[in-house]
Amino acid sequence: MLHIIKSQSGLTDAIKLIQPGDAVLLVEDAVYALFHQSSPLIGLKDQKDRFWVLQEDLVARGLVDLAKVDAQLTDFKGFVYFTEQHAQSITWD
């Protein structure tokens, strides 16, 4: 399952349902969660092989200079690739 998370409230809802083997992609305002120490992402940051952030959304929010992002970055081509690789996906607003 691919979890596409668009907001911090969506992250709060999704984090309880993410299973081992699921992939997580942060987009839109969910990228802000990377910079909160109390974020529910803390458990996912140790699993970088299945946790990505859309780089264009970091750039759009002026966060590109914060190059110490504790996640893998991907672009729109990667986003398409993830959706092709996962038979199921869910988007969390």
Side-chain angles (χ1 to χ4, degrees):
M1 169 81 69
L2 172 63
H3 297 269
I4 303 164
I5 303 176
K6 297 171 68 174
S7 68
Q8 292 184 52
S9 63
L11 175 61
T12 301
D13 294 339
I15 205 77
K16 299 174 246 176
L17 300 174
I18 295 171
Q19 299 293 313
D22 288 353
V24 176
L25 176 62
L26 298 185
V27 300
E28 298 181 8
D29 286 342
V31 300
Y32 289 117
L34 292 169
F35 306 101
H36 297 157
Q37 291 184 347
S38 63
S39 170
L41 288 176
I42 292 171
L44 288 176
K45 289 181 179 180
D46 296 333
Q47 302 171 22
K48 290 185 180 180
D49 60 324
R50 62 187 195 106
F51 174 58
W52 295 273
V53 178
L54 191 61
Q55 185 171 1
E56 286 84 350
D57 284 330
L58 287 173
V59 171
R61 285 153 182 80
L63 301 173
V64 70
D65 291 335
L66 301 172
K68 289 280 189 173
V69 174
D70 197 15
Q72 294 185 91
L73 299 178
T74 192
D75 57 12
F76 283 114
K77 285 183 182 180
F79 191 156
V80 171
Y81 174 78
F82 297 139
T83 60
E84 291 174 340
Q85 296 304 307
H86 294 87
Q88 295 179 319
S89 67
I90 186 169
T91 301
W92 301 88
D93 287 320

